[in-house]
Amino acid sequence: MSEATDTRTPDTRPTGGLSAQYQPGEVEQRRYEQWVSAGYFTADPASDKPPFSIVIPPPNVTGSMHVGHALEHTIMDTLSRFKRMQGFEVLWLPGMDHAGIATQNVVERQLAAQQLSRHDLGREAFVEKVWQWKAESGGAITGQMRRLGDSVDWSRERFTMDEGLSKAVQTIFKRLYDDGLIYRAERIINWCPRCLTALSDIEVEHTDDDGELVSIRYGDGADAIVVATTRAETMLGDTAVAVHPDDERYQHLIGTEVELPLTGRRIPIVADEHVDPAFGTGAVKVTPAHDPNDFEIGRRHNLPSMTIMDERAVVTVPGPFEGLDRYEARPAIVAALREQGRIVAEKRPYQHSVGHCSRCKTTVEPRLSLQWFVNTGPLAKAAGDAVRDGRVSIEPPELAKRYFAWVDNMHDWCISRQLWWGHRIPVWYGPAGEVVCVGPDEEPPSGEGWRQDEDVLDTWFSSGLWPFSTMGWPQQTETLAKFYPTSVLVTGYDILFFWVARMMMFGLYAMDGVQPFDVVALHGLVRDAHGKKMSKSFGNAVDPLDWIERYGADATRFTLARGANPGSDVPISEEWCQGSRNFCNKLWNATRFALMNGATVEGELPASAELSSVDKWILSRLQHVIAEVGEQLATYEFAKACDTLYHFAWDDVCDWYVELSKPVLATDGAEAARSRRVLGHVLDQLLRLLHPVIPFVTEELWTVLTGAESVVVAAWPVADAARIDDVAEEELAALQKVVTEVRRFRSDQGLRPGQRVSAALTGLGNVGIDVHEPLIRALARLDAPSAEFAATATLAVTGGITVDLDTRGTIDVAAERARLDKDRAAAEKEAAQCRAKLDNDAFIGKAPEQVVAKIKDRLATAEADLARIAAALKALPSA
RNA sequence: GGGCGCGUAGCUCAGUGGGAGAGCACUCGCCUUACAAGCGAGGGGUCGUAGGUUCGAAACCUACCGCGCCCA
């Protein structure tokens, strides 16, 4: 706002100390600290109130808040605050996970800067170093959560590596082990040659990459067979060639052997149904130790597995290729084969699907190794059934299909990781080959030759226990008794497989079949204003802290919530955030106006019989809004709830109610007093309704308006059906129509907004709004007709209302004719559409009665409008 | 290759059998004693295409075109 150009005299009415603009920076931190120290967010398990609980999807301890977190937290905070106001004992439990690979990587990078590796420190010292890192630099996100306004119970913050949660991990491991649901086996797993650890299937991202397809002739002469491969280097580990059993081209070769080039080994040609005869030549090389499909073929045909690379994907087969990594070995081997004339065809680039480590993007190397697995069969079945039989509902329900597709086809889960940071597998191996799984209260075996398994567990293993490990399980705590199962899990649909399915499996298993949450409310991904995925490299990523800094936490939250349709992606842009900021400022100024005009929440709300239709109307609208918003928030329709409130606040309250109230508020009588009470009530209720989404500005305004302690602990509004007033709503709709028509005329005629026009209004009584004539005159800036009144234009308003205006001689006839022509065209179209329906016997015969009646009514209205418009056109002076 | 979803105003999206809507953008007029982060008015859409069901389809069914996501 430009002070220099503001020539108005300052308003001296009381504003409760509110400045002319909302400054979020002055409010947010102070308010948040007050809330926390008042204990509003601390959950009491001994409370008599019904429980409502959410556990936070634990962010990564190395991470900071990105805009996806901001969305998710806005949703969770909105639900928590909504339920708290509704009288629930709310527990929103915060915490972080230890992010095995990511955290270890961070600390290893620090060490690398000093030319050190974790092996130089040793396991114990390294883990100590990680804890030290966490204490110094971990958990930046918790400070950012405070900035956003998260109403979490900080006294219950948890970390997956805490003692209690670690105990939960060991307990469930032991239980699953004893039940035969955890086993150790040599399997082909996804291996990251950079992180040097196994990965589970879902930690691998597949992309279509450019590679090469090389066709190689194995054997010579009549026995020759050509195989096509994208990974020529793995041929050193081939132990067979496979063809489809029905493939006529190769019938004579099945059961025979062929010499594997470069090695001199002879390998069998086997028949396997899983070979696709249409791919390449229909013959595939089989490398069981380096390809999951080949591993299966190998198992079916009892083929040996030959591991030809070490953990860094460097060739270990003695000979000319030894010591080359997989990308050096590939061209070297192709060249060697070409020299022998064995390369039949080469295709470059050849697009094919390649798996990458989700953490570091290195191409995954399938690797045969001894790992720990969870047998997911029975667990996944239970996880699917809990949704199938309705104990857990997925919102929106369409996304349940995706969940089923995953849990019903789940492979065993590789849970061991070759890391040091994490929960170490509680299994000891004895000198005589003993294997002992140790429970949390048991002493591990000691003595000569006993050693613990070196590996740690997948981070998701501990995250899967989160809904109950954070509440003290395996102890039977008061908190568990009160707050488990949790009420709702809020997370992105992209995390359905990673985390939701795992919590379901573990929750149902550990908690005697009781589900970890009743509802899974899924949100989408935050995208930019053009629906593009946000990414740092593309440069369209939004830093929520930056927005909070510049526009306020409320504006940031409102922007996100307003885009959050269930399960759908959420586009946002800075312009929209500005709009949200403007909305907060609008509320600020509406409250400021109310305070300047004596709005109050003291005393009983006046009985409807005592109120003007303007007051009755806004109270009636308020009841609809209370009901709608309550329903929308309860069904996770955050975008709709925001929209409902935005339009009620801006259109109904600010644009109409406040403007309509100004004349009476300028007076001093009993009617003004009643309106002050109504205005106070409407704002009080509106601020409560908005508080879950925009907590800071509503708190600031509500406390000034009401003088009460905090809207955080105020009661959620309840719709009062007795205040719904259809008559007042119809009256106000008619009033708005008259005012809008006059404004349209004025705008079309180029009349200055301040210019008053004489006018005669007739027919207001038709719709019962004759008492509002002064209001209409005020809003439309119409003066009473003077003695020498002479109408120069006539406005025909639907409902039989006529406004005759005296524009003092000058009227833009062409503009007026254009306006009337447009109205006539619209009315004619309407009439024609209605007549077409009514002339149709099938319509009259088959359509419901009330639909027919409605169409008849519309036709009558259109015809009446047409008559008036025609008269007005006729009355216009000819050009 | 399999599965799921989406095509509605310039952009982003609501609308799921009976008058095509919102926000932003755009045009015009305004500092009007709460607010220029504002106020008033306006323009703009063969609802992807083609069939079908129905008295009536943006909505339901089928096919096709285009886009996206997940899985392999």
Side-chain angles (χ1 to χ4, degrees), chain A residues 61-100:
Chain A
V61 64
T62 66
S64 53
M65 184 179 279
H66 58 65
V67 72
H69 290 124
L71 168 68
E72 194 164 281
H73 288 218
T74 296
I75 290 171
M76 287 188 282
D77 197 39
T78 297
L79 287 173
S80 298
R81 289 175 184 270
F82 169 53
K83 289 290 179 177
R84 198 175 284 118
M85 291 175 78
Q86 281 193 322
F88 287 79
E89 186 65 29
V90 171
L91 168 61
W92 180 14
L93 194 154
M96 292 179 288
D97 77 36
H98 64 280

mmCIF file of all heavy atoms in Angstrom, chain A residues 61-100:
data_model
loop_
_atom_site.group_PDB
_atom_site.id
_atom_site.type_symbol
_atom_site.label_atom_id
_atom_site.label_comp_id
_atom_site.label_asym_id
_atom_site.label_seq_id
_atom_site.Cartn_x
_atom_site.Cartn_y
_atom_site.Cartn_z
ATOM 1 N N VAL A 61 15.320 -38.730 8.822
ATOM 2 C CA VAL A 61 16.072 -37.891 9.760
ATOM 3 C C VAL A 61 17.068 -36.971 9.046
ATOM 4 O O VAL A 61 17.460 -35.928 9.574
ATOM 5 C CB VAL A 61 16.796 -38.765 10.812
ATOM 6 C CG1 VAL A 61 17.849 -39.639 10.135
ATOM 7 C CG2 VAL A 61 17.422 -37.928 11.917
ATOM 8 N N THR A 62 17.442 -37.335 7.832
ATOM 9 C CA THR A 62 18.398 -36.488 7.104
ATOM 10 C C THR A 62 17.692 -35.382 6.333
ATOM 11 O O THR A 62 18.341 -34.490 5.797
ATOM 12 C CB THR A 62 19.202 -37.302 6.057
ATOM 13 O OG1 THR A 62 18.293 -37.760 5.050
ATOM 14 C CG2 THR A 62 19.900 -38.475 6.681
ATOM 15 N N GLY A 63 16.371 -35.470 6.239
ATOM 16 C CA GLY A 63 15.662 -34.603 5.296
ATOM 17 C C GLY A 63 15.200 -33.302 5.892
ATOM 18 O O GLY A 63 15.201 -33.086 7.102
ATOM 19 N N SER A 64 14.776 -32.398 4.999
ATOM 20 C CA SER A 64 14.112 -31.188 5.447
ATOM 21 C C SER A 64 12.741 -31.168 4.779
ATOM 22 O O SER A 64 12.427 -32.019 3.965
ATOM 23 C CB SER A 64 14.921 -29.963 5.049
ATOM 24 O OG SER A 64 15.177 -30.009 3.667
ATOM 25 N N MET A 65 11.935 -30.214 5.169
ATOM 26 C CA MET A 65 10.556 -30.221 4.722
ATOM 27 C C MET A 65 10.445 -29.790 3.260
ATOM 28 O O MET A 65 10.791 -28.672 2.904
ATOM 29 C CB MET A 65 9.712 -29.293 5.589
ATOM 30 C CG MET A 65 8.238 -29.351 5.197
ATOM 31 S SD MET A 65 7.197 -28.306 6.213
ATOM 32 C CE MET A 65 6.998 -29.354 7.633
ATOM 33 N N HIS A 66 9.950 -30.695 2.434
ATOM 34 C CA HIS A 66 9.648 -30.291 1.070
ATOM 35 C C HIS A 66 8.146 -30.082 0.961
ATOM 36 O O HIS A 66 7.394 -30.306 1.914
ATOM 37 C CB HIS A 66 10.191 -31.294 0.056
ATOM 38 C CG HIS A 66 9.677 -32.684 0.226
ATOM 39 N ND1 HIS A 66 8.349 -33.026 0.046
ATOM 40 C CD2 HIS A 66 10.320 -33.827 0.576
ATOM 41 C CE1 HIS A 66 8.202 -34.316 0.260
ATOM 42 N NE2 HIS A 66 9.383 -34.825 0.588
ATOM 43 N N VAL A 67 7.722 -29.645 -0.193
ATOM 44 C CA VAL A 67 6.337 -29.206 -0.320
ATOM 45 C C VAL A 67 5.353 -30.372 -0.182
ATOM 46 O O VAL A 67 4.213 -30.189 0.227
ATOM 47 C CB VAL A 67 6.172 -28.412 -1.641
ATOM 48 C CG1 VAL A 67 6.247 -29.329 -2.847
ATOM 49 C CG2 VAL A 67 4.912 -27.577 -1.631
ATOM 50 N N GLY A 68 5.834 -31.582 -0.476
ATOM 51 C CA GLY A 68 4.986 -32.751 -0.264
ATOM 52 C C GLY A 68 4.698 -32.983 1.218
ATOM 53 O O GLY A 68 3.572 -33.292 1.603
ATOM 54 N N HIS A 69 5.721 -32.801 2.048
ATOM 55 C CA HIS A 69 5.492 -32.862 3.494
ATOM 56 C C HIS A 69 4.499 -31.784 3.900
ATOM 57 O O HIS A 69 3.612 -32.024 4.708
ATOM 58 C CB HIS A 69 6.794 -32.583 4.274
ATOM 59 C CG HIS A 69 7.818 -33.656 4.176
ATOM 60 N ND1 HIS A 69 9.092 -33.404 3.722
ATOM 61 C CD2 HIS A 69 7.783 -34.977 4.471
ATOM 62 C CE1 HIS A 69 9.794 -34.522 3.766
ATOM 63 N NE2 HIS A 69 9.023 -35.498 4.196
ATOM 64 N N ALA A 70 4.693 -30.580 3.356
ATOM 65 C CA ALA A 70 3.842 -29.463 3.751
ATOM 66 C C ALA A 70 2.372 -29.797 3.463
ATOM 67 O O ALA A 70 1.492 -29.517 4.276
ATOM 68 C CB ALA A 70 4.256 -28.187 3.021
ATOM 69 N N LEU A 71 2.116 -30.407 2.333
ATOM 70 C CA LEU A 71 0.748 -30.825 2.007
ATOM 71 C C LEU A 71 0.247 -31.850 3.017
ATOM 72 O O LEU A 71 -0.841 -31.712 3.587
ATOM 73 C CB LEU A 71 0.706 -31.421 0.597
ATOM 74 C CG LEU A 71 -0.590 -32.147 0.236
ATOM 75 C CD1 LEU A 71 -1.749 -31.171 0.133
ATOM 76 C CD2 LEU A 71 -0.441 -32.932 -1.062
ATOM 77 N N GLU A 72 1.064 -32.877 3.224
ATOM 78 C CA GLU A 72 0.647 -33.963 4.096
ATOM 79 C C GLU A 72 0.413 -33.464 5.524
ATOM 80 O O GLU A 72 -0.564 -33.837 6.168
ATOM 81 C CB GLU A 72 1.748 -35.035 4.083
ATOM 82 C CG GLU A 72 1.350 -36.350 4.653
ATOM 83 C CD GLU A 72 2.364 -37.413 4.226
ATOM 84 O OE1 GLU A 72 2.264 -37.863 3.076
ATOM 85 O OE2 GLU A 72 3.239 -37.762 5.019
ATOM 86 N N HIS A 73 1.280 -32.584 5.967
ATOM 87 C CA HIS A 73 1.148 -32.059 7.325
ATOM 88 C C HIS A 73 -0.041 -31.120 7.435
ATOM 89 O O HIS A 73 -0.709 -31.081 8.462
ATOM 90 C CB HIS A 73 2.448 -31.375 7.744
ATOM 91 C CG HIS A 73 3.560 -32.342 8.007
ATOM 92 N ND1 HIS A 73 4.475 -32.180 9.013
ATOM 93 C CD2 HIS A 73 3.874 -33.511 7.401
ATOM 94 C CE1 HIS A 73 5.330 -33.206 9.010
ATOM 95 N NE2 HIS A 73 4.985 -34.013 8.031
ATOM 96 N N THR A 74 -0.287 -30.357 6.391
ATOM 97 C CA THR A 74 -1.468 -29.488 6.409
ATOM 98 C C THR A 74 -2.732 -30.329 6.559
ATOM 99 O O THR A 74 -3.631 -30.002 7.338
ATOM 100 C CB THR A 74 -1.532 -28.665 5.106
ATOM 101 O OG1 THR A 74 -0.397 -27.794 5.063
ATOM 102 C CG2 THR A 74 -2.804 -27.842 5.039
ATOM 103 N N ILE A 75 -2.784 -31.430 5.845
ATOM 104 C CA ILE A 75 -3.958 -32.300 5.934
ATOM 105 C C ILE A 75 -4.083 -32.892 7.329
ATOM 106 O O ILE A 75 -5.152 -32.853 7.944
ATOM 107 C CB ILE A 75 -3.864 -33.411 4.869
ATOM 108 C CG1 ILE A 75 -4.050 -32.815 3.474
ATOM 109 C CG2 ILE A 75 -4.900 -34.496 5.139
ATOM 110 C CD1 ILE A 75 -3.771 -33.796 2.344
ATOM 111 N N MET A 76 -2.976 -33.415 7.848
ATOM 112 C CA MET A 76 -3.035 -34.030 9.177
ATOM 113 C C MET A 76 -3.370 -33.000 10.242
ATOM 114 O O MET A 76 -4.125 -33.276 11.175
ATOM 115 C CB MET A 76 -1.701 -34.706 9.496
ATOM 116 C CG MET A 76 -1.488 -35.979 8.703
ATOM 117 S SD MET A 76 -0.024 -36.887 9.239
ATOM 118 C CE MET A 76 1.256 -35.934 8.461
ATOM 119 N N ASP A 77 -2.806 -31.809 10.107
ATOM 120 C CA ASP A 77 -3.059 -30.781 11.113
ATOM 121 C C ASP A 77 -4.515 -30.321 11.037
ATOM 122 O O ASP A 77 -5.155 -30.081 12.054
ATOM 123 C CB ASP A 77 -2.108 -29.600 10.908
ATOM 124 C CG ASP A 77 -2.038 -28.719 12.138
ATOM 125 O OD1 ASP A 77 -2.044 -29.274 13.255
ATOM 126 O OD2 ASP A 77 -2.003 -27.490 11.991
ATOM 127 N N THR A 78 -5.015 -30.213 9.817
ATOM 128 C CA THR A 78 -6.407 -29.818 9.658
ATOM 129 C C THR A 78 -7.332 -30.836 10.327
ATOM 130 O O THR A 78 -8.243 -30.475 11.079
ATOM 131 C CB THR A 78 -6.736 -29.681 8.157
ATOM 132 O OG1 THR A 78 -5.927 -28.645 7.602
ATOM 133 C CG2 THR A 78 -8.191 -29.353 7.943
ATOM 134 N N LEU A 79 -7.079 -32.102 10.094
ATOM 135 C CA LEU A 79 -7.901 -33.143 10.726
ATOM 136 C C LEU A 79 -7.754 -33.107 12.246
ATOM 137 O O LEU A 79 -8.744 -33.202 12.979
ATOM 138 C CB LEU A 79 -7.486 -34.527 10.203
ATOM 139 C CG LEU A 79 -7.895 -34.856 8.774
ATOM 140 C CD1 LEU A 79 -7.260 -36.169 8.342
ATOM 141 C CD2 LEU A 79 -9.410 -34.938 8.643
ATOM 142 N N SER A 80 -6.519 -32.963 12.705
ATOM 143 C CA SER A 80 -6.295 -32.964 14.154
ATOM 144 C C SER A 80 -6.996 -31.796 14.835
ATOM 145 O O SER A 80 -7.641 -31.956 15.876
ATOM 146 C CB SER A 80 -4.793 -32.887 14.455
ATOM 147 O OG SER A 80 -4.134 -34.018 13.938
ATOM 148 N N ARG A 81 -6.861 -30.627 14.250
ATOM 149 C CA ARG A 81 -7.476 -29.449 14.861
ATOM 150 C C ARG A 81 -8.997 -29.520 14.790
ATOM 151 O O ARG A 81 -9.707 -29.135 15.730
ATOM 152 C CB ARG A 81 -6.956 -28.171 14.186
ATOM 153 C CG ARG A 81 -5.501 -27.868 14.534
ATOM 154 C CD ARG A 81 -4.976 -26.671 13.753
ATOM 155 N NE ARG A 81 -3.555 -26.415 13.998
ATOM 156 C CZ ARG A 81 -3.088 -25.622 14.962
ATOM 157 N NH1 ARG A 81 -3.925 -25.005 15.771
ATOM 158 N NH2 ARG A 81 -1.789 -25.451 15.114
ATOM 159 N N PHE A 82 -9.506 -30.012 13.676
ATOM 160 C CA PHE A 82 -10.947 -30.193 13.497
ATOM 161 C C PHE A 82 -11.490 -31.123 14.581
ATOM 162 O O PHE A 82 -12.478 -30.817 15.271
ATOM 163 C CB PHE A 82 -11.164 -30.765 12.092
ATOM 164 C CG PHE A 82 -12.540 -31.271 11.776
ATOM 165 C CD1 PHE A 82 -13.669 -30.482 11.972
ATOM 166 C CD2 PHE A 82 -12.712 -32.543 11.234
ATOM 167 C CE1 PHE A 82 -14.937 -30.956 11.644
ATOM 168 C CE2 PHE A 82 -13.969 -33.023 10.898
ATOM 169 C CZ PHE A 82 -15.085 -32.234 11.118
ATOM 170 N N LYS A 83 -10.826 -32.259 14.767
ATOM 171 C CA LYS A 83 -11.305 -33.234 15.748
ATOM 172 C C LYS A 83 -11.138 -32.709 17.175
ATOM 173 O O LYS A 83 -11.965 -32.967 18.047
ATOM 174 C CB LYS A 83 -10.543 -34.555 15.580
ATOM 175 C CG LYS A 83 -10.923 -35.288 14.314
ATOM 176 C CD LYS A 83 -12.350 -35.821 14.432
ATOM 177 C CE LYS A 83 -12.775 -36.540 13.167
ATOM 178 N NZ LYS A 83 -14.136 -37.113 13.301
ATOM 179 N N ARG A 84 -10.065 -31.990 17.416
ATOM 180 C CA ARG A 84 -9.837 -31.428 18.743
ATOM 181 C C ARG A 84 -10.982 -30.484 19.092
ATOM 182 O O ARG A 84 -11.523 -30.514 20.187
ATOM 183 C CB ARG A 84 -8.493 -30.681 18.751
ATOM 184 C CG ARG A 84 -7.913 -30.424 20.114
ATOM 185 C CD ARG A 84 -6.533 -29.792 20.011
ATOM 186 N NE ARG A 84 -5.479 -30.719 19.642
ATOM 187 C CZ ARG A 84 -4.733 -30.635 18.534
ATOM 188 N NH1 ARG A 84 -4.910 -29.648 17.679
ATOM 189 N NH2 ARG A 84 -3.809 -31.542 18.283
ATOM 190 N N MET A 85 -11.368 -29.659 18.135
ATOM 191 C CA MET A 85 -12.475 -28.720 18.366
ATOM 192 C C MET A 85 -13.805 -29.465 18.522
ATOM 193 O O MET A 85 -14.704 -29.004 19.203
ATOM 194 C CB MET A 85 -12.556 -27.713 17.217
ATOM 195 C CG MET A 85 -11.377 -26.748 17.190
ATOM 196 S SD MET A 85 -11.411 -25.653 15.744
ATOM 197 C CE MET A 85 -12.657 -24.459 16.247
ATOM 198 N N GLN A 86 -13.887 -30.607 17.880
ATOM 199 C CA GLN A 86 -15.121 -31.388 18.009
ATOM 200 C C GLN A 86 -15.195 -32.156 19.318
ATOM 201 O O GLN A 86 -16.166 -32.875 19.556
ATOM 202 C CB GLN A 86 -15.236 -32.383 16.852
ATOM 203 C CG GLN A 86 -15.732 -31.744 15.561
ATOM 204 C CD GLN A 86 -16.138 -32.794 14.545
ATOM 205 O OE1 GLN A 86 -15.495 -33.833 14.423
ATOM 206 N NE2 GLN A 86 -17.204 -32.540 13.825
ATOM 207 N N GLY A 87 -14.189 -32.030 20.155
ATOM 208 C CA GLY A 87 -14.263 -32.648 21.475
ATOM 209 C C GLY A 87 -13.595 -34.001 21.573
ATOM 210 O O GLY A 87 -13.848 -34.748 22.520
ATOM 211 N N PHE A 88 -12.743 -34.324 20.615
ATOM 212 C CA PHE A 88 -11.994 -35.581 20.721
ATOM 213 C C PHE A 88 -10.698 -35.346 21.483
ATOM 214 O O PHE A 88 -10.158 -34.231 21.479
ATOM 215 C CB PHE A 88 -11.648 -36.118 19.326
ATOM 216 C CG PHE A 88 -12.839 -36.694 18.583
ATOM 217 C CD1 PHE A 88 -13.748 -35.858 17.951
ATOM 218 C CD2 PHE A 88 -13.046 -38.062 18.542
ATOM 219 C CE1 PHE A 88 -14.849 -36.379 17.281
ATOM 220 C CE2 PHE A 88 -14.141 -38.592 17.874
ATOM 221 C CZ PHE A 88 -15.047 -37.758 17.234
ATOM 222 N N GLU A 89 -10.224 -36.407 22.125
ATOM 223 C CA GLU A 89 -8.881 -36.372 22.703
ATOM 224 C C GLU A 89 -7.943 -36.728 21.565
ATOM 225 O O GLU A 89 -7.918 -37.869 21.101
ATOM 226 C CB GLU A 89 -8.762 -37.375 23.856
ATOM 227 C CG GLU A 89 -7.432 -37.298 24.599
ATOM 228 C CD GLU A 89 -7.231 -35.963 25.318
ATOM 229 O OE1 GLU A 89 -8.245 -35.347 25.713
ATOM 230 O OE2 GLU A 89 -6.076 -35.533 25.450
ATOM 231 N N VAL A 90 -7.213 -35.733 21.091
ATOM 232 C CA VAL A 90 -6.441 -35.924 19.867
ATOM 233 C C VAL A 90 -4.981 -36.233 20.169
ATOM 234 O O VAL A 90 -4.351 -35.533 20.965
ATOM 235 C CB VAL A 90 -6.536 -34.665 18.973
ATOM 236 C CG1 VAL A 90 -5.558 -34.763 17.810
ATOM 237 C CG2 VAL A 90 -7.963 -34.488 18.473
ATOM 238 N N LEU A 91 -4.495 -37.282 19.554
ATOM 239 C CA LEU A 91 -3.062 -37.556 19.578
ATOM 240 C C LEU A 91 -2.551 -37.519 18.146
ATOM 241 O O LEU A 91 -2.946 -38.327 17.314
ATOM 242 C CB LEU A 91 -2.765 -38.944 20.176
ATOM 243 C CG LEU A 91 -1.316 -39.434 19.971
ATOM 244 C CD1 LEU A 91 -0.320 -38.498 20.628
ATOM 245 C CD2 LEU A 91 -1.141 -40.853 20.500
ATOM 246 N N TRP A 92 -1.710 -36.536 17.890
ATOM 247 C CA TRP A 92 -0.981 -36.550 16.612
ATOM 248 C C TRP A 92 0.476 -36.742 17.000
ATOM 249 O O TRP A 92 1.083 -35.862 17.605
ATOM 250 C CB TRP A 92 -1.214 -35.259 15.829
ATOM 251 C CG TRP A 92 -0.480 -35.255 14.513
ATOM 252 C CD1 TRP A 92 0.088 -36.330 13.889
ATOM 253 C CD2 TRP A 92 -0.247 -34.131 13.673
ATOM 254 N NE1 TRP A 92 0.666 -35.944 12.708
ATOM 255 C CE2 TRP A 92 0.475 -34.603 12.547
ATOM 256 C CE3 TRP A 92 -0.572 -32.781 13.747
ATOM 257 C CZ2 TRP A 92 0.882 -33.763 11.515
ATOM 258 C CZ3 TRP A 92 -0.178 -31.938 12.728
ATOM 259 C CH2 TRP A 92 0.539 -32.434 11.612
ATOM 260 N N LEU A 93 0.975 -37.920 16.668
ATOM 261 C CA LEU A 93 2.270 -38.345 17.189
ATOM 262 C C LEU A 93 3.375 -38.134 16.158
ATOM 263 O O LEU A 93 3.318 -38.693 15.069
ATOM 264 C CB LEU A 93 2.154 -39.828 17.580
ATOM 265 C CG LEU A 93 3.262 -40.393 18.447
ATOM 266 C CD1 LEU A 93 2.727 -41.573 19.249
ATOM 267 C CD2 LEU A 93 4.471 -40.809 17.656
ATOM 268 N N PRO A 94 4.380 -37.319 16.511
ATOM 269 C CA PRO A 94 5.448 -37.020 15.556
ATOM 270 C C PRO A 94 6.664 -37.933 15.724
ATOM 271 O O PRO A 94 6.775 -38.651 16.705
ATOM 272 C CB PRO A 94 5.833 -35.596 15.931
ATOM 273 C CG PRO A 94 5.647 -35.561 17.420
ATOM 274 C CD PRO A 94 4.522 -36.526 17.752
ATOM 275 N N GLY A 95 7.540 -37.861 14.767
ATOM 276 C CA GLY A 95 8.781 -38.614 14.863
ATOM 277 C C GLY A 95 9.471 -38.732 13.519
ATOM 278 O O GLY A 95 9.017 -38.165 12.528
ATOM 279 N N MET A 96 10.550 -39.464 13.511
ATOM 280 C CA MET A 96 11.354 -39.617 12.287
ATOM 281 C C MET A 96 11.843 -41.050 12.179
ATOM 282 O O MET A 96 11.923 -41.759 13.178
ATOM 283 C CB MET A 96 12.573 -38.697 12.345
ATOM 284 C CG MET A 96 12.230 -37.225 12.267
ATOM 285 S SD MET A 96 13.710 -36.209 12.379
ATOM 286 C CE MET A 96 14.150 -36.412 14.095
ATOM 287 N N ASP A 97 12.203 -41.432 10.959
ATOM 288 C CA ASP A 97 12.858 -42.731 10.829
ATOM 289 C C ASP A 97 14.349 -42.531 10.585
ATOM 290 O O ASP A 97 14.810 -41.438 10.259
ATOM 291 C CB ASP A 97 12.174 -43.621 9.788
ATOM 292 C CG ASP A 97 12.481 -43.261 8.345
ATOM 293 O OD1 ASP A 97 13.623 -42.855 8.051
ATOM 294 O OD2 ASP A 97 11.576 -43.399 7.497
ATOM 295 N N HIS A 98 15.089 -43.623 10.769
ATOM 296 C CA HIS A 98 16.551 -43.506 10.782
ATOM 297 C C HIS A 98 17.157 -43.604 9.390
ATOM 298 O O HIS A 98 18.346 -43.378 9.221
ATOM 299 C CB HIS A 98 17.163 -44.568 11.699
ATOM 300 C CG HIS A 98 16.918 -45.968 11.247
ATOM 301 N ND1 HIS A 98 15.729 -46.621 11.479
ATOM 302 C CD2 HIS A 98 17.680 -46.842 10.547
ATOM 303 C CE1 HIS A 98 15.787 -47.846 10.960
ATOM 304 N NE2 HIS A 98 16.956 -48.000 10.385
ATOM 305 N N ALA A 99 16.346 -43.930 8.377
ATOM 306 C CA ALA A 99 16.771 -43.884 6.981
ATOM 307 C C ALA A 99 18.155 -44.497 6.769
ATOM 308 O O ALA A 99 19.108 -43.803 6.435
ATOM 309 C CB ALA A 99 16.756 -42.438 6.486
ATOM 310 N N GLY A 100 18.227 -45.810 6.980
ATOM 311 C CA GLY A 100 19.503 -46.524 6.950
ATOM 312 C C GLY A 100 20.475 -46.080 5.889
ATOM 313 O O GLY A 100 21.555 -45.568 6.207
#
